[in-house]
Amino acid sequence: MRYLPHTNSDRQAMLESMGLHEIMDLFTDIPKEFHTKLGSLDLPDALSEAGIVKKFTKAAEKNRHAGNTRCFLGGGTYHHFVPAVVDYVISRGEFLTAYTPYQPEIAQGTLQALFEYQTMIARLTGMEVSNASMYEAATATAEAALMARRVTRKTRTVIAGSVNPRYRTVTENYLSRLEGDYVEVAMGEFGTDLSQVIDAIDETTACVIVQYPDFYGSVYDLAPLREACDAHKCLMVVAFSDVSAFGLIESPGAYGADIAVGSGQALGIPMAFGGPHLGVFACKQKYLRQMPGRVCGLTTDADGKRGFVLTLSTREQHIRREKATSNICTNQGLMCTAASTYMTLMGDAGLETVANHSAAALDLLVSKLPNGVVAADGAHYNETVLTFASQEKRDAFISEARNNDIFAGIPLETIEKGAEQIDGNRHLLVATTEMIEEDDISDYIQAMEVAL
Amino acid sequence: MSNTTYSATSGIQQEERLLFEHAHEAPESISLPGVQGKAPSSLDVFKRKSAANIPGLSEPETVRHFVRLSQWNHGIETGFYPLGSCTMKYNPRVNEQVARLPGLAHVHPDQPEDSVQGILGLLYELQGWLTEISGFKDVTLQPAAGAHGELVGLMMIRKCLDARGEQGRKKVLVPDSAHGTNPASAALCGMYTVEIKSGADGRIDLDELKKHLDDDVAALMMTNPNTAGTFESDIKEICQLVHDAGGLVYGDGANLNALVGVARPGDMGLDCLHINVHKTFSTPHGGGGPGAGPVAVNDTLKPFLPVPRIEKDGDVFKVVTEDKQSIGSVLSTLGQTGVYMRANAYISAFGHNHIHKIAQDAVLNANYVLSRLKDVYHVPFEGLCKHECLLTDEWQNKHGVKTLDIAKRLIDLGFHPMTVYFPLIVHGAMLIEPTETESKETLDSFCDAMLEIAAQCEAGDTQALHDAPVKPIRRRLDETQAARKPVLVWSD
Ligand SMILES: Cc1ncc(COP(=O)(O)O)c(C=O)c1O
C-alpha cells in the first residue's frame, strides 16, 4: 500500500522489540466479538493512483460546470474569478498540511496570514474586528444570533424574511432548543421593507438580523435600523451572501452594524458544489469577548520580535467547555489564506472592478429583458428576481437556456417555499459576476425570446 | 545522540513584512473579465464613502509574500507531526488533483440534478463506505466538522427522545477525559452536562457511570479509544447501562483511526458516531480547517437525519430536501463536498483489501513509541495503547522541566511537538499520535530526541530546554500580552 512506509520486516522487527508476534496482538483489548474479519468490509478493490484519476475524471465528466456553461446561479454561492496564484498558495504543503497553529513558533505563516485576513475582512466589512472564520454563512448567522443573546442577556431574535431562507432555517434550528422567541418578519415583496422589520422589535429583542444586499439582491438604506436598534438596546446583525458587494457599496460597519456575518466564498474560493466555503464573522471591538471562534492576535516573542498567536482562548471550548462562546473547533482556516491571497492580488481597485463588472452585467441583462419578463424593483447589486407570466413560460426558458449551455437561474421555490410574494412557481433568482460576458447576456436574452 | 537528518537548521528564512507595510502604492490592478462597465446609477447613493484600504500587491510580490510566510510553517509534508487526537497523517497529493477537476470544483450547488449526477454519485458512494466502515445504518454528510457533527448527533438524540415522549431528558454525561467540544455542543443543544470521573486506569468507571444514570439522562458522549489512547473494553456494558436507563450513546469518532477495518463502533452498541474525515480519512487540515464531520447513525436515529441528503432512485441520484422526522438542516448546502472528494479518493486507494492496515500500522507505531519511551517518561495508564500514547512530565518535573519545555525543545530538534496538556485527567499530558504514514526510521529519530531530552533532564542540563525553541523564526511568544491587550487587526 503506497501510503504506508513499513515493510513486513519493519513490522516484524517492531513487534519483536515489544515481545509480540503478530500485529493483531495489539488489539486484544478490543473484545473478540467486535473484531471485524480482516478484508471483509463491503468496499471495492483498492485502486491504483491512475485508477483513482480515471474514476474521478469519469465522474467529473458527467457533471456540467462553470467552465463549460454560463452560470447565472447565485443564492449564496457565486462563480467569481479565481486567480491561479490563490490555488497555488493554498496548495503549498506548509499551508495545506499544517494543523491549527497550536505551536506558534512553527506556525507563524498561518498566523500572519490569519492576522492579515482578519484585518482585510474588518476593513472590507467596515467592522472593528474579525474572527478567523466560521464554517459558512448560515452557521455564522446562527452564531451571531447566539452571540447577541450573550451580549444583551435577552432571548428574542427578529429576522427579516428577506434573509436567505437557508440562513434562516439554520438559525431557527440552532435557536429552537433554547429558550426565547424566534420571529421571522414576512416581507410580502422581493426586497426588504425595513419599517416592518423595525415594527417587530421590542424591549425583549436581543438582535435583528437583516441581509444586505438581501436574498433578492436588493440594496437599501440601513440607517433607520441603527436608530431602532439603539432605541431598543438590541444588536444589529447584517448578513450577506456575496462579500464582493463591499468593494463598491457601503459596508455593514458604515451603517453601524454590531455584527456582520456572511459568505466569503467570493474571495477566491471555488463553488465546489457547496463547500468548503468561508463563513465571515466580524463585530465591534467591545463585543470581542463574546465572539465565537478562533482569533489571531499580535504579540512579541522572547527576543522582543513581533509575532502572532491564537488568543482569547478563554472564550473557547478547549478551556471553557460547556460555557464556551461556541462549540466550534476546526474552522475553515485554509479558506482564510485563500481569501487573504485573493484580496492582496485585487487590492481596493480590483475589488471595486469585480463589483462594478458584476453589477454592470445584471444591469445590462435587466435592461434587455423582453416583454413578459419583469425584474424586481429598486436598486440591485448582482442578483435579482425575474417574474414570468407563468411557470410554463419560465420553465420553457430554463430549458431553452440549458440547450445553449446556460444555467439561467434558480427557480425561487426550490429555496424559498411558501412566501407570500411567490404566486405560482414563476420566479427565477438570477445572479451575475465578472465571469459573465456581454455575449453570454445576449445568448441569455435570445434564449428568452425563443422560449417566450 | 542528535540526528542530523532530522534536526532543525535555519536556511534562508526571510523576515516578511505585513501586507500593510509594503511601502508603495498599489500597482495597476489585475485585469478582470466580464462586462467592462460600471455599476448602474441606482447604486450611486449606496457607494462606499471611503475605500476599504485593501493594499493590493503585484502578482510577483503577492507570491513571494505568501511563499515566505509558508516557509515559517511546519506541515505534515515538512516533517513528523505527532499531534495526539489530531491524526496528522500524510495527505495524498492525488486527492488534491482530483478534487480540483473542473467538473467537481466548479459546480454550483443549485445546478439541476441531472447536471450533477457525477458528483452526487461520488458522495452517495462515500455515504455507503462511511456507513460500512463505521458499522452503522446510514450517515449524514452535512456537518462541517467534528464539533458540528456533535451538535447534529445531539439534536437527533433530543428529537428521538421527544418522539418517545421523554422531553424532560436533558442530562448529557461526559467523561472528564472528553474533548472540550463535547460539553460545548451539549450546551449549544440546550442540554446540560455532568462530568464523570475516569477510573484509575483512565477509562470509564462503571460504578461511577451508574451513579449518574437516572431518568434525566439523555446521552453519554464517549470517545473510544478514549483521549488517553486506550480502548474502553467495557464498551458493551457501558452502552447497555445507558440504554437500560433510557439514554442514548453518542460516539466521538475523532479516534476512529485506531479501528478502521479492524473493528466497528456501530457493532458495539453506540447509537451514532461523528467521523472527522480530516483526521481518519486524510483530508488536509489547512492550518485549522476545512474538515468535515459526517455522523453515522443506527436504526434508532436514522429517521432524524438532517436534510438535504442524497438518495438513489434506480440509477438516478436525488437530493431529498424534506423528511417529516428530520432535525432539519444545519448548513446552507449538502456539506463540504470538496473535502469529501478527497475522502472518497483516500478510501478508494485502500479498498477492502488494505483498509485495516491503516489501524494496524497506526496502532503498531503508537505502541512502538510507547515501548521506547516508557522507561524514561511516566506512563499514567499501563497496558496497550491504541493509535496514540499518553505520557506525562512527572519524572521531569523534579528537574524543573515541564511538558511545555519538552515540547519546545522538540522543535529545536526538528519535530513538531505532541499534543500538550490534553487530556485534562493527567497533569502535564503529552499525547503522541504518530499515525500509520511514518516510517520506523522517523519514529526512531523522534524517540531518540525524546530520550535525549530525558537524559538532559537527568543530567541537570536543562538550560536548552528552558530556552527552547531557538531555531525557528520566532522564539516563545507572549500569550498573556496577546490576550490582555488584544490586537486582532492592523492599523496603519
Ligand atoms: C476527541 C475530539 N473530539 C472532537 C474534536 C472536534 O472536532 P473538530 O475539530 O473537527 O470540530 C476533536 C478535534 O480536535 C477531538 O480531538
Side-chain angles (χ1 to χ4, degrees):
Chain A
M1 209 298 138
R2 61 190 175 278
Y3 303 146
L4 305 177
H6 292 329
T7 62
N8 278 336
S9 50
D10 289 333
R11 292 186 180 99
Q12 216 46 51
M14 291 165 76
L15 286 166
E16 275 165 22
S17 76
M18 294 184 264
L20 299 172
H21 299 290
E22 50 179 312
I23 216 156
M24 292 313 289
D25 292 346
L26 293 165
F27 292 88
T28 49
D29 48 354
I30 302 180
K32 258 256 132 55
E33 61 181 307
F34 299 134
H35 282 238
T36 305
K37 187 167 174 293
L38 302 182
S40 72
L41 291 184
D42 185 13
L43 300 172
D45 288 342
L47 288 182
S48 65
E49 177 168 335
I52 290 172
V53 173
K54 202 163 160 186
K55 164 183 156 170
F56 276 78
T57 305
K58 216 169 132 199
E61 279 168 359
K62 284 193 202 150
N63 300 329
R64 301 309 304 272
H65 57 87
N68 59 19
T69 59
R70 279 75 67 80
C71 181
F72 290 79
L73 309 177
T77 307
Y78 302 86
H79 179 45
H80 285 286
F81 175 60
V82 181
V85 168
V86 176
D87 200 42
Y88 167 66
V89 167
I90 64 166
S91 300
R92 297 266 319 176
E94 304 92 328
F95 282 129
L96 182 74
T97 73
Y99 202 75
T100 304
Y102 291 140
Q103 296 292 340
E105 299 87 351
I106 46 173
Q108 284 296 302
T110 291
L111 286 161
Q112 183 168 328
L114 283 178
F115 185 80
E116 293 174 345
Y117 164 83
Q118 290 171 184
T119 303
M120 288 192 276
I121 286 297
R123 292 178 179 189
L124 190 58
T125 58
M127 304 301 292
E128 289 165 352
V129 290
S130 159
N131 76 4
S133 80
M134 311 300 301
Y135 303 134
E136 43 82 86
T139 63
T141 308
E143 292 271 14
L146 293 167
M147 174 171 150
R149 294 164 60 104
R150 294 190 295 272
V151 169
T152 62
R153 297 172 185 275
K154 298 193 270 184
T155 59
R156 186 167 178 270
T157 304
V158 173
I159 190 164
S162 54
V163 172
N164 187 317
R166 288 168 177 156
Y167 306 173
R168 280 188 272 137
T169 305
V170 173
T171 302
E172 180 177 17
N173 207 356
Y174 267 59
L175 294 175
S176 66
R177 286 156 197 82
L178 308 173
E179 300 275 307
D181 290 337
Y182 168 85
V183 181
E184 277 188 17
V185 185
M187 293 286 93
E189 59 179 25
F190 296 123
T192 303
D193 178 358
L194 260 192
S195 63
Q196 292 191 55
V197 180
I198 288 170
D199 284 347
I201 307 175
D202 67 17
E203 298 310 312
T204 67
T205 304
C207 74
V208 186
I209 307 173
V210 295
Q211 187 171 324
Y212 161 86
D214 69 18
F215 172 59
Y216 314 107
S218 160
V219 180
Y220 54 98
D221 180 13
L222 277 171
L225 189 60
R226 181 65 262 169
E227 281 168 42
C229 288
D230 285 338
H232 293 94
K233 296 200 166 40
C234 68
L235 299 199
M236 170 172 163
V237 179
V238 176
F240 50 84
S241 282
D242 187 340
V243 72
S244 73
F246 307 131
L248 178 75
I249 65 168
E250 201 54 284
S251 66
Y255 285 109
D258 293 298
I259 306 175
V261 286
S263 177
Q265 178 260 326
L267 304 174
I269 298 164
M271 299 190 287
F273 198 48
H277 292 171
L278 168 63
V280 170
F281 196 108
C283 69
K284 287 187 175 159
Q285 173 97 24
K286 63 178 168 184
Y287 302 132
L288 188 57
R289 287 178 198 269
Q290 293 300 339
M291 187 164 69
R294 296 189 188 122
V295 289
C296 166
L298 188 90
T299 189
T300 48
D301 80 351
D303 292 337
K305 287 188 191 160
R306 181 173 74 193
F308 303 92
V309 289
L310 291 180
T311 191
L312 299 177
S313 51
T314 51
R315 297 165 302 116
E316 289 186 75
Q317 45 74 28
H318 59 284
I319 309 274
R320 197 55 66 82
R321 299 176 83 84
E322 69 275 6
K323 296 197 180 64
T325 55
S326 168
N327 68 336
I328 194 168
C329 181
T330 293
N331 57 18
Q332 302 291 106
L334 193 68
M335 303 296 108
C336 297
T337 304
S340 278
T341 310
Y342 176 88
M343 288 188 274
T344 306
L345 283 167
M346 292 290 158
D348 281 331
L351 290 168
E352 189 179 352
T353 306
V354 166
N356 267 317
H357 289 191
S358 299
L362 185 73
D363 188 48
L364 182 65
L365 186 155
V366 167
S367 74
K368 297 209 161 151
L369 288 175
N371 283 342
V373 188
V374 192
D377 281 340
H380 286 256
Y381 171 51
N382 67 341
E383 194 155 21
T384 193
V385 178
L386 303 182
T387 299
F388 293 73
S390 65
Q391 176 169 12
E392 243 172 20
K393 297 258 188 216
R394 182 197 70 180
D395 293 350
F397 163 58
I398 293 175
S399 59
E400 178 58 26
R402 184 76 191 275
N403 292 338
N404 291 283
D405 301 323
I406 293 171
F407 287 122
I410 305 174
L412 198 57
E413 72 279 5
T414 61
I415 304 187
E416 180 162 49
K417 291 179 190 75
E420 198 184 322
Q421 59 272 27
I422 301 182
D423 58 287
N425 296 336
R426 59 198 185 101
H427 309 285
L428 194 64
L429 187 67
V430 55
T432 53
T433 67
E434 76 283 9
M435 299 301 275
I436 296 292
E437 302 287 349
E438 284 189 36
D439 282 356
D440 301 325
I441 293 172
S442 312
D443 293 351
Y444 189 96
I445 299 295
Q446 201 187 347
M448 218 172 233
E449 281 160 352
V450 169
L452 300 182
Chain B
M1 225 201 283
S2 81
N3 183 324
T4 47
T5 318
Y6 284 93
S7 69
T9 61
S10 27
I12 299 180
Q13 270 192 333
Q14 311 266 5
E15 283 290 346
E16 177 63 8
R17 293 165 289 189
L18 284 162
L19 286 171
F20 319 106
E21 296 170 314
H22 281 258
H24 62 74
E25 297 272 294
E28 193 180 323
S29 90
I30 102 172
S31 69
L32 287 154
V35 175
Q36 302 289 313
K38 289 263 181 221
S41 55
S42 55
L43 287 175
D44 283 352
V45 292
F46 299 106
K47 277 203 178 149
R48 283 189 86 107
K49 309 269 181 308
S50 57
N53 200 8
I54 307 295
L57 297 185
S58 67
E59 186 166 323
E61 291 169 298
T62 305
V63 170
R64 193 167 284 166
H65 176 78
F66 285 102
V67 169
R68 283 182 178 177
L69 292 189
S70 77
Q71 291 176 331
W72 300 351
N73 263 8
H74 182 89
I76 188 70
E77 285 185 357
T78 1
F80 191 42
Y81 215 129
L83 209 48
S85 206
C86 301
T87 315
M88 294 298 283
K89 61 173 76 179
Y90 170 66
N91 309 141
R93 276 285 164 181
V94 66
N95 301 358
E96 295 303 309
Q97 183 184 325
V98 296
R100 283 170 167 78
L101 287 166
L104 302 175
H106 299 296
V107 179
H108 191 286
D110 290 293
Q111 279 180 219
E113 263 166 32
D114 69 337
S115 73
V116 292
Q117 287 295 304
I119 193 163
L120 287 176
L122 291 170
L123 292 168
Y124 183 83
E125 180 177 63
L126 182 66
Q127 284 183 181
W129 294 350
L130 293 176
T131 305
E132 173 71 7
I133 291 168
S134 61
F136 286 89
K137 291 294 161 53
D138 208 338
V139 70
T140 170
L141 297 183
Q142 207 177 34
H148 205 210
E150 292 169 20
L151 176 64
V152 165
L154 291 171
M155 282 176 164
M156 290 191 279
I157 287 173
R158 272 196 77 174
K159 190 115 193 196
C160 171
L161 292 169
D162 284 356
R164 289 180 185 170
E166 303 243 38
Q167 284 86 345
R169 289 181 180 264
K170 288 197 184 149
K171 177 156 88 178
V172 179
L173 304 178
V174 182
D176 52 6
S177 59
H179 194 261
T181 50
N182 290 189
S185 299
L188 187 55
C189 198
M191 303 160 103
Y192 70 98
T193 50
V194 173
E195 201 168 84
I196 10 179
K197 237 176 106 41
S198 299
D201 60 354
R203 294 180 168 87
I204 292 176
D205 176 339
L206 292 183
D207 291 325
E208 184 67 20
L209 174 65
K210 281 180 202 158
K211 277 195 236 161
H212 297 287
L213 290 172
D214 56 27
D215 291 349
D216 292 338
V217 167
L220 165 72
M221 294 183 88
M222 68 179 297
T223 311
N224 197 15
N226 57 35
T227 61
T230 62
F231 191 80
E232 299 279 358
S233 306
D234 293 332
I235 178 78
K236 192 175 175 180
E237 291 73 21
I238 292 170
C239 292
Q240 194 62 52
L241 283 169
V242 176
H243 287 150
D244 288 348
L248 287 92
V249 184
Y250 181 91
D252 177 331
N255 292 343
L256 185 62
N257 213 46
L259 305 179
V260 179
V262 170
R264 308 194 306 168
D267 294 338
M268 302 175 192
L270 302 167
D271 294 290
C272 63
L273 178 89
H274 85 245
I275 298 166
N276 304 67
V277 299
H278 44 299
K279 299 181 181 183
T280 313
F281 297 109
S282 86
T283 74
H285 278 91
V295 181
V297 294
N298 64 5
D299 283 328
T300 312
L301 291 178
K302 188 174 150 110
F304 309 104
L305 283 169
V307 285
R309 42 181 293 95
I310 303 164
E311 280 176 12
K312 195 172 180 187
D313 184 2
D315 288 337
V316 181
F317 300 102
K318 284 193 155 14
V319 179
V320 178
T321 55
E322 268 174 271
D323 193 347
K324 261 223 298 296
Q325 286 187 283
S326 164
I327 58 158
S329 69
V330 291
L331 205 76
S332 302
T333 62
L334 272 170
Q336 309 244 50
T337 61
V339 174
Y340 291 125
M341 295 300 103
R342 294 161 171 90
N344 181 310
Y346 179 73
I347 298 171
S348 297
F350 284 87
H352 68 88
N353 33 342
H354 298 297
I355 194 110
H356 55 275
K357 294 178 186 163
I358 296 173
Q360 285 183 333
D361 281 0
V363 171
L364 174 65
N365 286 356
N367 278 285
Y368 180 72
V369 169
L370 177 63
S371 76
R372 285 209 55 196
L373 301 182
K374 67 177 195 288
D375 294 335
V376 288
Y377 289 93
H378 169 242
V379 177
F381 308 119
E382 291 290 321
L384 284 175
C385 68
K386 292 270 80 57
H387 63 306
E388 58 193 355
C389 62
L390 181 63
L391 310 175
T392 87
D393 60 2
E394 191 177 311
W395 297 350
Q396 284 68 41
N397 279 173
K398 57 178 183 281
H399 305 289
V401 169
K402 299 199 208 62
T403 286
L404 191 70
D405 304 315
I406 297 167
K408 299 303 183 193
R409 178 64 182 153
L410 277 171
I411 295 175
D412 280 339
L413 296 174
F415 300 95
H416 194 287
M418 62 293 273
T419 288
V420 293
Y421 302 111
F422 176 80
L424 308 175
I425 51 169
V426 294
H427 188 271
M430 293 186 276
L431 187 63
I432 304 172
E433 180 177 7
T435 84
E436 72 282 9
T437 59
E438 298 300 336
S439 66
K440 179 171 181 293
E441 191 188 4
T442 300
L443 301 179
D444 278 331
S445 63
F446 171 76
C447 292
D448 290 346
M450 286 291 285
L451 296 176
E452 180 184 319
I453 292 172
Q456 283 178 331
C457 290
E458 290 300 325
D461 175 16
T462 55
Q463 198 52 42
L465 280 84
H466 298 299
D467 290 344
V470 295
K471 289 195 175 171
I473 191 115
R474 289 293 178 273
R475 300 203 31 222
R476 287 191 204 192
L477 290 131
D478 187 344
E479 305 200 359
T480 315
Q481 180 195 336
R484 196 181 309 128
K485 277 194 152 189
V487 178
L488 311 185
V489 300
W490 184 248
S491 41
D492 299 312

